[in-house]
Amino acid sequence: MSLRIGVLGAARIAPAALVKPASSHSSVSVDAVAARSLERAQAFATRHGIPRAYAGYEDLLADPDIDAVYNPLPNGLHGKWTRAALEAGKHVLCEKPFAANAAEAREIAALASSSDRVVMEAFHYRYHPLALRVEEIVASGALGTLERVETALCFPLPKFSDIRYDYGLAGGATMDAGCYAVHMARLFGGETPSVVSATARLRSPKVDRAMTAELAYPSGHTGRVTCSMWSSSVLRISAKVTGSRGSISVLNPLMPQAYHRVSIRVDGVHRTEKFPRRATYAYQLDAFAAAVLEGAPVKTSAADAVETMTVIDEIYRAAGLPVREPS
């Protein structure tokens, strides 16, 4: 059995997220790419050894030899083209954030649940052994009663013309960086929290360049998510879970293949754990292929995406900003 994937858009993330891991996967091939112009699609196809290029996303979706699509388009277009892919009978690996807002995410999730197609949100870190291990430790009760969960993703993006600052394309720090922090807060906190308060630093009247939000979990613990694309926190990728018996701190849970540190302290005893340097994207592609070809369960499903987008919408509202809208 094999899985033939087409790429919607010649995006910068596609080579690392899909093309490279597919090149060493025995059951996956990247067989087509579509872009807004045929020239751009052909250039991308030539550069990455992809057999077919299309001058439009519709043409790729109409290709009967494509089983699934990878959707790395701008945030505001994720919902539109995931919907179109499902209607064309394709499986979908959609980049995060899954949709422009929770309402659109619910619409896509309903469509996915009524189909027999696999829809996966591309939170690649979720499939790495590091994330699975942190989840396991927290769920085991080894830390005692949970008290506090803090997650952060901050990186510098000083190119303010970048589409990630474009409100019309559902941009903003909470969408691009914050969706990771929110997803980690949900995963490592064991529940979906509500938003108590949020404070934004603005790039423009509707677009956040940084955000901090305080959270409250149903079981009583609290949390904080911090994210930025331009702030005094130049680079920060971390997660910390504190309980009544101890804590676990993780440096770089998102791309542990580059570097990572997992520090665990329980009942006064400290230890560290190390994990494979295999790329998170490779584990993600393994999971997507297994879901399509073998019916394996999906950890970052469309239903899971609705939970994340609900928290993101709450953060924007708490900060006095409008939720994002589809493009």
Side-chain angles (χ1 to χ4, degrees):
M1 296 193 300
S2 64
L3 176 61
R4 302 164 297 180
I5 302 179
V7 183
L8 297 179
R12 288 190 298 269
I13 193 175
L18 178 65
V19 178
K20 184 177 180 179
S23 67
S24 58
H25 199 293
S26 61
S27 301
V28 177
S29 60
V30 180
D31 285 6
V33 59
R36 288 171 292 177
S37 72
L38 182 58
E39 294 76 16
R40 188 178 182 195
Q42 287 175 333
F44 188 92
T46 299
R47 189 179 311 122
H48 299 291
I50 298 172
R52 298 190 296 284
Y54 291 107
Y57 308 140
E58 296 93 341
D59 290 343
L60 186 149
L61 294 180
D63 186 340
D65 293 325
I66 294 298
D67 305 306
V69 297
Y70 171 56
N71 180 357
L73 296 169
N75 299 340
L77 295 173
H78 285 174
K80 174 181 178 179
W81 288 104
T82 295
R83 184 187 304 109
L86 284 170
E87 290 171 349
K90 312 299 186 186
H91 304 280
V92 183
L93 175 61
C94 180
E95 267 303 330
K96 55 77 199 169
F98 187 71
N101 55 45
E104 186 180 42
R106 282 192 292 270
E107 177 192 342
I108 303 302
L111 183 61
S113 68
S114 66
S115 76
D116 62 352
R117 302 292 89 179
V118 170
V119 179
M120 176 187 287
E121 187 176 19
F123 276 118
H124 52 97
Y125 87 97
R126 178 70 176 89
Y127 297 94
H128 194 277
L130 186 152
L132 299 176
R133 177 62 174 151
V134 175
E135 179 189 25
E136 177 186 50
I137 291 171
V138 173
S140 74
L143 303 181
T145 302
L146 293 188
E147 297 174 349
R148 183 78 169 166
V149 180
E150 296 183 350
T151 61
L153 177 55
C154 303
F155 61 84
L157 184 62
K159 184 181 178 182
F160 298 123
S161 61
D162 191 282
I163 61 171
R164 285 171 281 186
Y165 288 109
D166 188 339
Y167 180 79
L169 292 173
T174 308
M175 290 290 284
D176 195 77
C179 67
Y180 277 113
V182 168
H183 196 271
M184 287 192 295
R186 290 184 52 239
L187 176 61
F188 300 149
E191 300 171 328
T192 296
S194 59
V195 177
V196 177
S197 63
T199 303
R201 295 178 182 177
L202 301 181
R203 170 58 194 162
S204 61
K206 293 182 179 180
V207 177
D208 51 316
R209 59 181 175 85
M211 184 77 76
T212 302
E214 289 293 323
L215 310 174
Y217 290 83
S219 293
H221 47 297
T222 63
R224 174 184 292 172
V225 296
T226 303
C227 65
S228 72
M229 298 191 296
W230 189 247
S231 73
S232 58
S233 295
V234 179
L235 183 62
R236 184 179 171 194
I237 311 172
S238 63
K240 183 175 183 179
V241 183
T242 303
S244 58
R245 294 180 54 197
S247 65
I248 180 167
S249 299
V250 186
L251 180 64
N252 195 18
L254 299 187
M255 301 286 283
Q257 62 267 30
Y259 63 91
H260 67 268
R261 181 175 176 83
V262 177
S263 179
I264 306 161
R265 185 176 296 276
V266 176
D267 296 333
V269 178
H270 174 263
R271 73 178 191 275
T272 61
E273 295 189 10
K274 290 290 186 180
F275 297 87
R277 291 300 183 94
R278 186 172 185 247
T280 51
Y281 295 120
Y283 287 104
Q284 175 177 261
L285 187 58
D286 286 349
F288 185 59
V292 173
L293 300 176
E294 303 167 19
V298 174
K299 294 181 182 296
T300 54
S301 64
D304 182 75
V306 172
E307 298 289 309
T308 300
M309 292 310 305
T310 297
V311 177
I312 290 173
D313 284 3
E314 288 183 12
I315 289 173
Y316 276 125
R317 292 189 183 102
L321 294 175
V323 300
R324 314 295 92 167
E325 297 293 339
S327 301

